[in-house]
Amino acid sequence: MTTVEIGPWTVEADATATKRCYAQLGDDFSEGCTCDPCKNFAIVRGQAYPPEIVVLFHQLGIDRWKPFELSHYSRMPSGLHLYGGWHYLCGSIKSGPKSPNGTNPYQINATFAIELTQTDQARQPFSEFPCVQVDFYTELPWISDLPEAD
């Protein structure tokens, strides 16, 4: 187990277990939805996570290419599109705010925020471990040739 500071949270993480769980999901795990916003996300997902989050996720065993859930919320006044989703991390929150349901995300930069919540309802194969749900919110351009979502 590794203790990591993530914004205002202190997390005890099992990166090895997290990585093993993501490996069980298969390479096509994140290819499930075929709606226009998800197709756009697939094109721009390389821009979704800031470099410091990419490094952190790698350190923690989180596969950034495999979010468990993805939602398109709206086109923002900036012209970018707000997406949200989550990943799981095997471990537990030792300290930090308790703010489930997107009420108090921690802003990493102008277009990316995260929020951590301890969960006892993680999906398979993570349900065998204590887990932290790592919610993310990211603003991305619409690059797809498909009609732009509202």
Side-chain angles (χ1 to χ4, degrees), residues 6 41 44-59 62 64-65 83 87 106-114 134-140:
I6 305 172
F41 185 85
V44 297
R45 69 184 181 172
Q47 302 172 40
Y49 305 93
E52 60 268 34
I53 295 298
V54 172
V55 169
L56 177 67
F57 278 14
H58 180 73
Q59 174 189 359
I62 297 172
R64 66 183 168 128
W65 303 116
Y83 286 89
H87 297 275
Y106 176 74
Q107 205 70 38
I108 300 294
N109 63 28
T111 60
F112 189 88
I114 61 171
V134 182
D135 294 302
F136 68 91
Y137 306 91
T138 185
E139 294 180 32
L140 297 166

Side-chain angles (χ1 to χ4, degrees), residues 81-112:
H81 289 258
L82 178 61
Y83 286 89
W86 75 76
H87 297 275
Y88 290 123
L89 164 65
C90 296
S92 58
I93 297 173
K94 294 302 173 191
S95 66
K98 307 275 190 262
S99 55
N101 303 319
T103 56
N104 193 21
Y106 176 74
Q107 205 70 38
I108 300 294
N109 63 28
T111 60
F112 189 88

